[in-house]
Amino acid sequence: MKSVNVPAITITRVSRYARNLALLDEKGVEIVSSARLADICGVNPAQIRKDLAYFGQFGIRGVGYYVKELLNETQKILGTDKRWHLGLVGVGNLGRALLRHAQFINEGYTYVAAFDKKPKRIGTRIGDIEVAPWEAINRLIKDKGAEVGVITVMPEQAQDAADMLVSSGVCGILNFAPIQLKCPAHVFVENVDFTLKLDLLCYRLNSDTSQGHRKRTK
Amino acid sequence: MKSVNVPAITITRVSRYARNLALLDEKGVEIVSSARLADICGVNPAQIRKDLAYFGQFGIRGVGYYVKELLNETQKILGTDKRWHLGLVGVGNLGRALLRHAQFINEGYTYVAAFDKKPKRIGTRIGDIEVAPWEAINRLIKDKGAEVGVITVMPEQAQDAADMLVSSGVCGILNFAPIQLKCPAHVFVENVDFTLKLDLLCYRLNSDTSQGHRKRTK
């Protein structure tokens, strides 16, 4: 069913379809036209068909998609029908935001451990999680079976955090620190780097202004 | 010098080059070989040449790049040689993390206003910024000349926040809420959506496991 040759951008769109299908399902919607689903997801209907074609045949011509069925299929594709366990390193504002706001996280994910270096943070609780010191990373990641590490420390601590997570058996890292982590080939790393997005945004605004389409307010 | 036809991925890499050049410059490094710069940025040297070729000729064969010169050029390309003013809506943990951690932000960006709906947050200060109510968005965005809006509210408030920012004259939005915003065509929107990244990570881990390359710990 799955192939590593599916482009990342396709997987990202499937993830967006899954999220919106879950919202429709919550609202009790049973069938959605491909035009409607495409509109909600911000793509065109042909794109949805093309993306899903990597994984099989879905939808009924002239009807659209059965919401619950396609939701289940997309979750199977993504692997989010399984439960994934996350260990977070760095309980500053960003780390706390991630731990607290369950609504930012899909159903398939559970935080099982959180770590920090600052003594005043160690032992505090955020939701169900008690913040542990870095020295406990190895033991707790193994004990709690965390497969994915989330790094929300300062840039200068990020590589150390990654090394400790990897040596504890984590094979996937979601990295919020604005540095390129060096990890062994068997470890998957995804970077969430909003300053790059901000640069892209301002490049576009700037190009647009240079071409006289728009005036900056100041 | 600029063209809107440059792929987003190229701009994102140029942004990464600029960031790493700034770090080298801070350390007093004057010349960097293309191999070294490529290694730091996690790309290959040919990629750097190809990306920069969109904008002109840089670097000296057999020597590499003059750090300060290439830093200036990349900042000009990105538009980060100008100062950009940001207005943030939603002063929860994530919003506070963004406002507080100047190190997450490049030199070209300054927060000039922050807004929230919760009475207990209004009037509080984060760094130099006093949190204002939503009703003040229109006035303050205009007064402070914010060109870019940053949305860190709950998903259900994100579209309202976007509408208010756009009607106040903002032409670029960095959106952290996991929804597709509907904005007029003249507004650039970039989404920072870490659940999509998390899904991509777990898809890869899952595919890898399915193919028997690795065992999940639990």
Side-chain angles (χ1 to χ4, degrees):
Chain A
M1 185 180 186
K2 289 178 203 81
S3 159
V4 284
N5 297 323
V6 180
I9 186 75
T10 296
I11 299 303
T12 299
R13 278 192 299 259
V14 170
S15 169
R16 207 187 291 159
Y17 306 154
R19 175 194 295 167
N20 284 296
L21 287 162
L23 290 175
L24 289 170
D25 186 43
E26 272 173 33
K27 288 182 195 159
V29 178
E30 292 181 8
I31 292 173
V32 64
S33 71
S34 66
R36 174 85 185 112
L37 182 61
D39 182 55
I40 301 171
C41 298
V43 298
N44 64 61
Q47 187 69 63
I48 299 186
R49 267 195 303 279
K50 207 175 138 196
D51 288 335
L52 294 177
Y54 279 101
F55 308 98
Q57 273 237 304
F58 305 95
I60 297 153
R61 192 177 292 273
V63 176
Y65 299 100
Y66 289 107
V67 170
K68 208 180 275 291
E69 190 182 297
L70 189 58
L71 172 60
N72 290 340
E73 293 294 340
T74 50
Q75 288 178 333
K76 256 188 253 174
I77 290 167
L78 296 167
T80 50
D81 56 332
K82 301 176 189 168
R83 187 148 289 282
W84 294 90
H85 307 88
L86 314 182
L88 181 142
V89 187
V91 191
N93 281 301
L94 179 58
R96 274 201 299 278
L98 293 177
L99 289 169
R100 273 196 192 139
H101 293 292
Q103 61 268 53
F104 277 161
I105 283 283
N106 293 352
E107 284 177 29
Y109 303 104
T110 313
Y111 285 101
V112 292
F115 307 93
D116 206 284
K117 275 191 170 172
K118 293 199 176 165
K120 67 171 183 176
R121 288 180 184 159
I122 294 163
T124 60
R125 295 190 76 87
I126 296 152
D128 293 336
I129 307 289
E130 187 176 315
V131 179
W134 277 42
E135 295 71 44
I137 290 179
N138 197 276
R139 180 177 55 81
L140 281 176
I141 289 289
K142 284 178 180 157
D143 281 3
K144 307 256 182 187
E147 304 94 356
V148 176
V150 178
I151 296 183
T152 47
V153 295
M154 293 294 102
E156 55 275 18
Q157 300 179 344
Q159 185 63 53
D160 279 356
D163 292 345
M164 292 186 72
L165 286 166
V166 168
S167 73
S168 310
V170 152
C171 292
I173 291 179
L174 190 66
N175 172 40
F176 286 81
I179 68 157
Q180 290 296 113
L181 296 174
K182 310 235 179 218
C183 289
H186 74 279
V187 177
F188 295 102
V189 178
E190 284 294 325
N191 297 298
V192 183
D193 196 332
F194 44 83
T195 62
L196 297 182
K197 294 273 187 172
L198 196 52
D199 281 354
L200 180 57
L201 199 57
C202 290
Y203 166 79
R204 287 186 173 147
L205 286 171
N206 198 44
S207 304
D208 210 43
T209 315
S210 314
Q211 287 159 32
H213 293 153
R214 181 186 331 227
K215 271 204 284 194
R216 287 177 67 194
T217 45
K218 218 176 207 178
Chain B
M1 183 178 186
K2 289 178 203 80
S3 159
V4 285
N5 297 324
V6 181
I9 186 74
T10 296
I11 299 303
T12 299
R13 279 192 299 260
V14 171
S15 170
R16 208 187 289 159
Y17 306 154
R19 175 194 296 167
N20 284 296
L21 287 162
L23 290 174
L24 289 170
D25 187 44
E26 272 173 35
K27 287 182 196 157
V29 178
E30 291 181 9
I31 292 173
V32 64
S33 71
S34 67
R36 173 85 185 112
L37 182 61
D39 182 54
I40 302 172
C41 297
V43 299
N44 63 61
Q47 185 70 63
I48 299 187
R49 268 196 302 280
K50 208 176 138 195
D51 288 335
L52 294 177
Y54 279 102
F55 308 98
Q57 273 236 303
F58 305 95
I60 296 152
R61 191 178 293 272
V63 176
Y65 300 99
Y66 288 108
V67 171
K68 209 179 273 290
E69 188 182 300
L70 189 58
L71 172 60
N72 290 340
E73 292 294 340
T74 51
Q75 288 178 333
K76 255 188 252 174
I77 289 166
L78 295 167
T80 49
D81 57 332
K82 301 178 189 168
R83 188 148 288 282
W84 295 90
H85 307 88
L86 314 181
L88 180 142
V89 187
V91 191
N93 281 299
L94 178 59
R96 274 201 298 277
L98 293 176
L99 289 169
R100 274 196 193 139
H101 293 293
Q103 59 267 54
F104 277 161
I105 283 284
N106 293 353
E107 284 178 29
Y109 303 105
T110 313
Y111 285 101
V112 291
F115 307 93
D116 206 285
K117 275 192 171 174
K118 292 197 178 166
K120 67 169 182 177
R121 290 181 184 159
I122 294 164
T124 60
R125 295 190 77 87
I126 297 150
D128 294 335
I129 307 289
E130 186 177 315
V131 179
W134 276 42
E135 294 71 44
I137 290 179
N138 196 275
R139 181 177 55 82
L140 281 176
I141 289 289
K142 284 179 182 158
D143 282 2
K144 307 258 183 187
E147 303 94 356
V148 175
V150 178
I151 296 182
T152 48
V153 295
M154 294 293 101
E156 56 276 17
Q157 299 179 343
Q159 185 62 52
D160 278 356
D163 292 345
M164 290 185 73
L165 287 166
V166 169
S167 73
S168 310
V170 152
C171 292
I173 291 180
L174 189 66
N175 173 39
F176 287 80
I179 69 157
Q180 290 296 112
L181 296 174
K182 309 235 179 219
C183 288
H186 74 281
V187 177
F188 295 103
V189 178
E190 285 294 325
N191 297 297
V192 183
D193 196 332
F194 43 84
T195 63
L196 297 183
K197 294 273 187 172
L198 196 53
D199 281 354
L200 180 56
L201 199 57
C202 291
Y203 166 80
R204 288 187 172 145
L205 285 171
N206 198 43
S207 304
D208 210 42
T209 316
S210 314
Q211 286 160 32
H213 293 153
R214 179 188 331 227
K215 271 204 285 193
R216 287 178 66 195
T217 45
K218 219 175 202 175

